[in-house]
Amino acid sequence: MTTFLGMPALPAFGSGNLFAGESFPKAAHRELGNAQLRANLGHATHTIRDKRQAVVSELPDWEQLRDAGSAIKESVMARLPELLEEFEKNFTARGGVIHWARDAREANEIVAGLVRETGETEVVKVKSMATQEIGLNEYLEEQGIEAFETDLAELIVQLDRDKPSHILVPAIHKNRTEIRDIFLREMPGADQALTNDPPVLAMAAREHLRRKFLTAKVAVSGANFAIADSGTLAVVESEGNGRMCLTLPETLITVMGIEKLLPTWQDLEVFMQLLPRSSTGERMNPYTSLWTGVMEGDGPQNVHLVLLDNGRSAALADEMGRSALHCIRCSACMNVCPVYERTGGHAYGSTYPGPIGAILSPLLTGIEAEENNSLPYASSLCGACYDACPVKINIPDILVHLRSVDVDSKRGARKVPSQMDVGMKAASWALSSGKHLGLVEKGLPLGRLAAGRDKKIKKLPGIAGGWTQSRDIPAPPAQSFRDWWAKEHKSAAPSQAAPSRDDKEIQQ
Amino acid sequence: MRIALFATCIVDAMYPATAKATVRILERLGHEVVFPGGQACCGQMHVNSGYLKEAVPVVANHVAAFDTADYDVAVAPSGSCVASVKHQHPMVARSCGDTALEARATAVGAKTYELSELLVDVLGVTDAGAQLGSYFPHRVTYHPSCHGMRLLRLGDRQSRLLRTVQGIDLADLPEADQCCGFGGTFSMKNADVSSAMLQDKAANVEATGAELCTGGDASCLMHIGGGLSRQGSSTTTLHLAEILASTMEEPASVTGEVRVSTGKALR
């Protein structure tokens, strides 16, 4: 192949907290052993799932809203470069400063540089998935800058030096007694008589945070939406801590994935209905903050935006997978996912857990990244996520697509083919002709033999052993349906039993 | 009506009684059933495991077996396999750039129905007891399988039919819409998670006090039944078709573990 001069290089894959440290089955095995985690998760996901269902059912035009959200996002993906330039122009014209970051390292360096310019060594943070993704807090710490999370759940996770396990409810894996213990241990000056009553815990966090809000000169946030035709950024939240960070400090640095754009103000209307209902199960979120560049004498006077790629261009280049970028981080998919409900978010390794993480992480890093190639298999393809997704991301189809990319990437690469490769090849032969399947079925009596007297097969070899770990297989029948049919119809209508036309076609 | 039966590989090899029951129901309604002998499998296992290349001959075989004007509609006693025929076959054909196969697969998909869909939408069955003579005096609970529910949008067609079976005591399954955890090779690749999902499903089935759990997909029933069996439960599974085919004169046998061949009782 000839390379043309000036042809852009292939889009770079992402870096940062997008990689699983171990395979999903291995991590899931460990997490499944944590009974407390499973109980907490089961309770929390069921509560939020029911709440969401109730508020979604109220809207007669919910399906049309989903269609609208999906269509808007599709148009954004189709003309992303143009919209990004339009946004840059409008944001800059109103006094904001734009920075472009290809990956996690560049984004971290830009943010650290901007903080350093202010001379400050402390920043307050609004909950942000983008900064989790690039590992900003850890990077800032290395640079001698302390970042304080102000979202209650993020604060809990940060104090415990743990990792978030859910997009919306980062501390979903912890119950209130565990939280009280963390506060007592890690919060300077915490009241030793602290109870595990939620309002008491919230007040303790509030007191702890208030000092930070009133002294911080720099805030770091993410953004839920960016509106191209006005150059406006939006943050949607429940607690009001975000608004404190977005209005009190002198400098505001926002890190946002490039896919978060919306073309016009009018488009925001659709998402302001879709997001809160899908996410917290509320009709409307309590706080929506919007800012357009700098307003003299009001709010931060140094306003920066870091536009983050980190693998998004690569995901956009994947025709089948690109709609994963429609994601508005509502977390509805993980709240309905039977796999997530049992393993929790840490099993997925990456910042993005659950069904969306199982497609988004490998798309951002490339499926070839060994750490992430087990993620697309972390689903029974039950489809609950697709039904719940407010922007109609067909997660099951993208999972299947990524599995095929994974399988294809390994074709011929192994010296010894895997059991799965061998099995699939053999099954392809057996299942691609009625005659072949008929032949295989002649071996069914062998299975009856293996089943023994109780007519159950209790142990299978190799990868099939996963099945018999907790399930029996019934003894196969003495006769397949095919054979029974052929026998029944032999005398009556022999032609029906002879599949000559079909089988001939296949043999060609 | 001339109806082509797609038995599906698992029913053909493991649960022939389900296919025989399907034939009985359709013949009882006065229709002619044909069995295209070239058929084997829908290829869903290959597609869902990412082996698209290996799925191509399986899909091509299914299309060849059913790509004929020799029948009016095709039916399968499996929502998941019908969903595969309708949704995955054109996609597999596209993946190998075979536009002719894609067009033929789409045409086959348009003529293929899941059993309850065919009975309710095409053959006008509203009362299984009255129209099919269905009689099944047992306490039963019903699991709606994911692909029937979410890909085919079967809605309450299956449970509506069940409710009209004479003598049946249909108990609501808690968390019925939750996946049983089978997911094809998912149950092997992620055996631990699959087992955890199965445990909850089995516990919910047991909580209903039903003698057996029914549904429209042999694979999910094999999974649920396999879990119940391993836990030493006396509750078993039975395909919806066998309950609909059961009559006062020829009752479906429900004793023993998973019934595999009840040829005598059926014919």
PDB file of all heavy atoms in Angstrom, chain A residues 300-313:
ATOM      1  N   PRO A 300     -15.734  33.006  38.023  1.00  0.00           N
ATOM      2  CA  PRO A 300     -14.303  32.895  37.686  1.00  0.00           C
ATOM      3  C   PRO A 300     -13.929  33.818  36.521  1.00  0.00           C
ATOM      4  O   PRO A 300     -14.674  33.917  35.543  1.00  0.00           O
ATOM      5  CB  PRO A 300     -14.159  31.428  37.279  1.00  0.00           C
ATOM      6  CG  PRO A 300     -15.300  30.726  37.919  1.00  0.00           C
ATOM      7  CD  PRO A 300     -16.418  31.711  37.959  1.00  0.00           C
ATOM      8  N   GLN A 301     -12.780  34.456  36.646  1.00  0.00           N
ATOM      9  CA  GLN A 301     -12.337  35.374  35.594  1.00  0.00           C
ATOM     10  C   GLN A 301     -11.318  34.730  34.653  1.00  0.00           C
ATOM     11  O   GLN A 301     -11.010  35.280  33.598  1.00  0.00           O
ATOM     12  CB  GLN A 301     -11.756  36.657  36.230  1.00  0.00           C
ATOM     13  CG  GLN A 301     -12.778  37.440  37.052  1.00  0.00           C
ATOM     14  CD  GLN A 301     -13.964  37.941  36.217  1.00  0.00           C
ATOM     15  OE1 GLN A 301     -13.801  38.772  35.323  1.00  0.00           O
ATOM     16  NE2 GLN A 301     -15.159  37.406  36.488  1.00  0.00           N
ATOM     17  N   ASN A 302     -10.779  33.569  35.057  1.00  0.00           N
ATOM     18  CA  ASN A 302      -9.925  32.782  34.146  1.00  0.00           C
ATOM     19  C   ASN A 302     -10.652  31.490  33.848  1.00  0.00           C
ATOM     20  O   ASN A 302     -10.794  30.651  34.727  1.00  0.00           O
ATOM     21  CB  ASN A 302      -8.594  32.418  34.813  1.00  0.00           C
ATOM     22  CG  ASN A 302      -7.756  33.636  35.090  1.00  0.00           C
ATOM     23  OD1 ASN A 302      -7.564  34.457  34.195  1.00  0.00           O
ATOM     24  ND2 ASN A 302      -7.291  33.766  36.327  1.00  0.00           N
ATOM     25  N   VAL A 303     -11.121  31.360  32.628  1.00  0.00           N
ATOM     26  CA  VAL A 303     -11.941  30.195  32.295  1.00  0.00           C
ATOM     27  C   VAL A 303     -11.280  29.390  31.181  1.00  0.00           C
ATOM     28  O   VAL A 303     -11.025  29.914  30.092  1.00  0.00           O
ATOM     29  CB  VAL A 303     -13.361  30.641  31.882  1.00  0.00           C
ATOM     30  CG1 VAL A 303     -14.166  29.446  31.407  1.00  0.00           C
ATOM     31  CG2 VAL A 303     -14.066  31.310  33.052  1.00  0.00           C
ATOM     32  N   HIS A 304     -10.949  28.145  31.490  1.00  0.00           N
ATOM     33  CA  HIS A 304     -10.246  27.291  30.524  1.00  0.00           C
ATOM     34  C   HIS A 304     -11.055  26.035  30.224  1.00  0.00           C
ATOM     35  O   HIS A 304     -11.787  25.539  31.077  1.00  0.00           O
ATOM     36  CB  HIS A 304      -8.888  26.854  31.096  1.00  0.00           C
ATOM     37  CG  HIS A 304      -7.956  27.991  31.323  1.00  0.00           C
ATOM     38  ND1 HIS A 304      -7.043  28.407  30.379  1.00  0.00           N
ATOM     39  CD2 HIS A 304      -7.805  28.838  32.387  1.00  0.00           C
ATOM     40  CE1 HIS A 304      -6.361  29.430  30.854  1.00  0.00           C
ATOM     41  NE2 HIS A 304      -6.807  29.718  32.073  1.00  0.00           N
ATOM     42  N   LEU A 305     -10.881  25.533  29.027  1.00  0.00           N
ATOM     43  CA  LEU A 305     -11.496  24.255  28.676  1.00  0.00           C
ATOM     44  C   LEU A 305     -10.469  23.376  27.969  1.00  0.00           C
ATOM     45  O   LEU A 305      -9.875  23.791  26.975  1.00  0.00           O
ATOM     46  CB  LEU A 305     -12.701  24.463  27.749  1.00  0.00           C
ATOM     47  CG  LEU A 305     -13.317  23.169  27.188  1.00  0.00           C
ATOM     48  CD1 LEU A 305     -13.916  22.311  28.295  1.00  0.00           C
ATOM     49  CD2 LEU A 305     -14.378  23.478  26.147  1.00  0.00           C
ATOM     50  N   VAL A 306     -10.252  22.185  28.518  1.00  0.00           N
ATOM     51  CA  VAL A 306      -9.361  21.219  27.874  1.00  0.00           C
ATOM     52  C   VAL A 306     -10.234  20.233  27.105  1.00  0.00           C
ATOM     53  O   VAL A 306     -11.040  19.513  27.704  1.00  0.00           O
ATOM     54  CB  VAL A 306      -8.510  20.461  28.925  1.00  0.00           C
ATOM     55  CG1 VAL A 306      -7.571  19.476  28.233  1.00  0.00           C
ATOM     56  CG2 VAL A 306      -7.733  21.436  29.789  1.00  0.00           C
ATOM     57  N   LEU A 307     -10.114  20.251  25.804  1.00  0.00           N
ATOM     58  CA  LEU A 307     -10.894  19.327  24.960  1.00  0.00           C
ATOM     59  C   LEU A 307     -10.085  18.048  24.771  1.00  0.00           C
ATOM     60  O   LEU A 307      -9.001  18.055  24.196  1.00  0.00           O
ATOM     61  CB  LEU A 307     -11.218  19.982  23.620  1.00  0.00           C
ATOM     62  CG  LEU A 307     -12.358  21.000  23.672  1.00  0.00           C
ATOM     63  CD1 LEU A 307     -12.368  21.858  22.421  1.00  0.00           C
ATOM     64  CD2 LEU A 307     -13.705  20.302  23.864  1.00  0.00           C
ATOM     65  N   LEU A 308     -10.659  16.959  25.261  1.00  0.00           N
ATOM     66  CA  LEU A 308      -9.920  15.705  25.378  1.00  0.00           C
ATOM     67  C   LEU A 308     -10.316  14.704  24.293  1.00  0.00           C
ATOM     68  O   LEU A 308     -11.494  14.407  24.103  1.00  0.00           O
ATOM     69  CB  LEU A 308     -10.230  15.103  26.767  1.00  0.00           C
ATOM     70  CG  LEU A 308      -9.623  13.759  27.114  1.00  0.00           C
ATOM     71  CD1 LEU A 308      -8.124  13.885  27.340  1.00  0.00           C
ATOM     72  CD2 LEU A 308     -10.302  13.192  28.377  1.00  0.00           C
ATOM     73  N   ASP A 309      -9.331  14.179  23.588  1.00  0.00           N
ATOM     74  CA  ASP A 309      -9.598  13.117  22.610  1.00  0.00           C
ATOM     75  C   ASP A 309      -9.460  11.762  23.316  1.00  0.00           C
ATOM     76  O   ASP A 309     -10.436  11.064  23.537  1.00  0.00           O
ATOM     77  CB  ASP A 309      -8.635  13.222  21.421  1.00  0.00           C
ATOM     78  CG  ASP A 309      -9.000  12.226  20.319  1.00  0.00           C
ATOM     79  OD1 ASP A 309      -9.239  11.046  20.643  1.00  0.00           O
ATOM     80  OD2 ASP A 309      -9.042  12.608  19.142  1.00  0.00           O
ATOM     81  N   ASN A 310      -8.263  11.398  23.684  1.00  0.00           N
ATOM     82  CA  ASN A 310      -7.984  10.159  24.415  1.00  0.00           C
ATOM     83  C   ASN A 310      -8.715   8.940  23.859  1.00  0.00           C
ATOM     84  O   ASN A 310      -9.394   8.216  24.592  1.00  0.00           O
ATOM     85  CB  ASN A 310      -8.319  10.351  25.910  1.00  0.00           C
ATOM     86  CG  ASN A 310      -7.480   9.440  26.800  1.00  0.00           C
ATOM     87  OD1 ASN A 310      -6.331   9.147  26.459  1.00  0.00           O
ATOM     88  ND2 ASN A 310      -8.038   8.958  27.898  1.00  0.00           N
ATOM     89  N   GLY A 311      -8.581   8.721  22.563  1.00  0.00           N
ATOM     90  CA  GLY A 311      -9.161   7.528  21.948  1.00  0.00           C
ATOM     91  C   GLY A 311     -10.519   7.754  21.314  1.00  0.00           C
ATOM     92  O   GLY A 311     -11.067   6.861  20.668  1.00  0.00           O
ATOM     93  N   ARG A 312     -11.084   8.945  21.505  1.00  0.00           N
ATOM     94  CA  ARG A 312     -12.424   9.183  20.949  1.00  0.00           C
ATOM     95  C   ARG A 312     -12.421   9.206  19.431  1.00  0.00           C
ATOM     96  O   ARG A 312     -13.372   8.735  18.794  1.00  0.00           O
ATOM     97  CB  ARG A 312     -13.015  10.470  21.531  1.00  0.00           C
ATOM     98  CG  ARG A 312     -13.487  10.279  22.976  1.00  0.00           C
ATOM     99  CD  ARG A 312     -13.626  11.590  23.725  1.00  0.00           C
ATOM    100  NE  ARG A 312     -14.129  11.386  25.083  1.00  0.00           N
ATOM    101  CZ  ARG A 312     -13.394  10.953  26.107  1.00  0.00           C
ATOM    102  NH1 ARG A 312     -12.112  10.657  25.931  1.00  0.00           N
ATOM    103  NH2 ARG A 312     -13.918  10.804  27.304  1.00  0.00           N
ATOM    104  N   SER A 313     -11.355   9.759  18.829  1.00  0.00           N
ATOM    105  CA  SER A 313     -11.274   9.739  17.363  1.00  0.00           C
ATOM    106  C   SER A 313     -11.193   8.310  16.851  1.00  0.00           C
ATOM    107  O   SER A 313     -11.762   7.983  15.819  1.00  0.00           O
ATOM    108  CB  SER A 313     -10.050  10.525  16.876  1.00  0.00           C
ATOM    109  OG  SER A 313     -10.177  11.876  17.224  1.00  0.00           O
TER     110      SER A 313
END
